[in-house]
Amino acid sequence: MDDDLVRKISTHPKYLELKSKRSAFGWWLTLAMMLVYYGFILLVAFNKPFLSQRLGEGVMTVGIPIGFGVIVFTVVITAFYVLRANKQYDDLTDAVRQGVLK
């Protein structure tokens, strides 16, 4: 890639805004995922009796829906990121592209 083009992109105000917004949002999602995942792992490690309680007369325990919830949470925050990327980040990327290539 041309060094001049790299310099133009890296100093463009919309690129700096994009980089800042995307990084901040990514860190918040990372924190949320880590809390949910490690919270579940800590629950498995330190409160097995709670997770092994049966739900009703069948074989399902409390741990199964909680584990499923961790998986669903991952899908939901991924979808949330994709929606935000399609609405905000793509617009900022287009603004950078138009500003640099004009």
Side-chain angles (χ1 to χ4, degrees), residues 23 29 42 50-51 55 58 63 67 78 92 100:
S23 293
L29 292 180
L42 289 171
F50 170 72
L51 291 175
L55 294 175
T78 301
L92 287 170
V100 170

Side-chain angles (χ1 to χ4, degrees), residues 5 20 22 25 30 35 41 48 50 53 56 63 71 80 93 97 99 102:
L5 181 60
S20 172
R22 191 179 56 201
F25 188 61
T30 300
L35 286 172
I41 295 302
K48 288 183 181 104
F50 170 72
Q53 293 176 14
I71 295 168
F80 188 53
T93 302
R97 186 179 304 120
K102 64 177 175 176

Side-chain angles (χ1 to χ4, degrees), residues 16-73:
L16 296 173
E17 179 185 354
L18 169 66
K19 185 176 157 184
S20 172
K21 284 184 175 182
R22 191 179 56 201
S23 293
F25 188 61
W27 280 113
W28 279 111
L29 292 180
T30 300
L31 177 65
M33 189 63 233
M34 288 180 73
L35 286 172
V36 169
Y37 178 75
Y38 285 111
F40 179 69
I41 295 302
L42 289 171
L43 199 57
V44 169
F46 296 111
N47 203 351
K48 288 183 181 104
F50 170 72
L51 291 175
S52 64
Q53 293 176 14
R54 293 196 185 274
L55 294 175
E57 297 295 321
V59 295
M60 184 175 292
T61 63
V62 171
I64 293 172
I66 292 175
F68 183 71
V70 171
I71 295 168
V72 169
F73 180 77

Side-chain angles (χ1 to χ4, degrees), residues 79-91:
F80 188 53
Y81 178 84
V82 168
L83 289 173
R84 178 172 276 196
N86 288 341
K87 289 182 180 179
Q88 289 184 0
Y89 305 149
D90 286 352
D91 293 341

